[in-house]
Amino acid sequence: MEFAEQAVGRLFPGRRAGPFRPDHLSALLNEIGVPVAAARGAAIRQQLLEMPAPVVADALGYHNKTTTRLLNETGGTWSRYAPGDHTRSPAGWVPRRTGDS
């Protein structure tokens, strides 16, 4: 089966997708001239431009220092990020009154 046929199978549910192991996918990409390592690096750097480094690290299983280094190399602007539970108000915080009682 050619690469294009396998790609169609992966993109459209209901068709036989064929093998989907990382090593097999890597070999297929190499066959058509896509440098896998460079593509992976570019994808991670793009994610770092869109999300904070700790979020990308958690999602992809990277160390936080690695994603922070890549972010600095990429020139990303996520300089501040407070990890933790953002669904609750900070201790001692009281909402301001708007005058509506």
Side-chain angles (χ1 to χ4, degrees):
M1 189 182 292
E2 288 191 17
F3 179 79
E5 292 172 343
Q6 290 180 356
V8 169
R10 288 186 182 93
L11 293 174
F12 300 102
R15 295 183 182 250
R16 182 172 160 80
F20 199 64
R21 297 184 327 267
D23 59 331
H24 182 75
L25 205 55
S26 177
L28 290 173
L29 290 170
N30 281 326
E31 273 181 32
I32 62 169
V34 176
V36 179
R40 180 177 42 231
I44 292 168
R45 284 174 172 79
Q46 182 61 39
Q47 289 297 310
L48 288 168
L49 292 174
E50 297 173 7
M51 296 185 293
V55 173
V56 175
D58 286 345
L60 300 178
Y62 280 79
H63 193 279
N64 189 27
K65 288 183 179 182
T66 302
T67 55
T68 301
R69 179 181 52 80
L70 289 171
L71 174 68
N72 291 335
E73 291 173 4
T74 305
T77 58
W78 286 99
S79 60
R80 293 187 177 99
Y81 172 70
D85 182 8
H86 296 280
T87 60
R88 300 180 333 170
S89 298
W93 181 81
V94 179
R96 290 191 295 177
R97 299 187 74 170
T98 61
D100 297 333
S101 301

